Amino acid sequence: LRTMAGRFLADPRGRWLTRPHGQSRTERELLVPENGRFLTLIVDRSFVCDGVRWIIDYNTGIRNDTTLAAHRQQVNH
């Protein structure tokens, strides 16, 4: 994990994503309507830059059936 974080922060895009931006929010909960009910989604990071809303989902591993199920459980709670 440290190696991944180091590579992320060494990359100009990684540094740009983590620097201060307008209307910045982290771990923001959103209620989203779906099929007549509401889901709670957690947005890792969101901000506005040059009039564009950016929504960032940090992932630290490869998705497989197990991690997808865990992610869906996070999304549905």
Side-chain angles (χ1 to χ4, degrees), residues 38 56 65:
F38 286 94
I56 311 303
D65 290 342

Side-chain angles (χ1 to χ4, degrees), residues 14-38:
R15 289 192 306 274
W16 180 80
L17 287 171
T18 58
R19 79 173 202 219
H21 293 283
Q23 299 179 34
S24 178
R25 304 285 186 270
T26 56
E27 294 294 317
R28 180 84 182 228
E29 288 188 8
L30 301 174
L31 287 177
V32 179
E34 183 177 290
N35 298 326
R37 63 185 188 137
F38 286 94

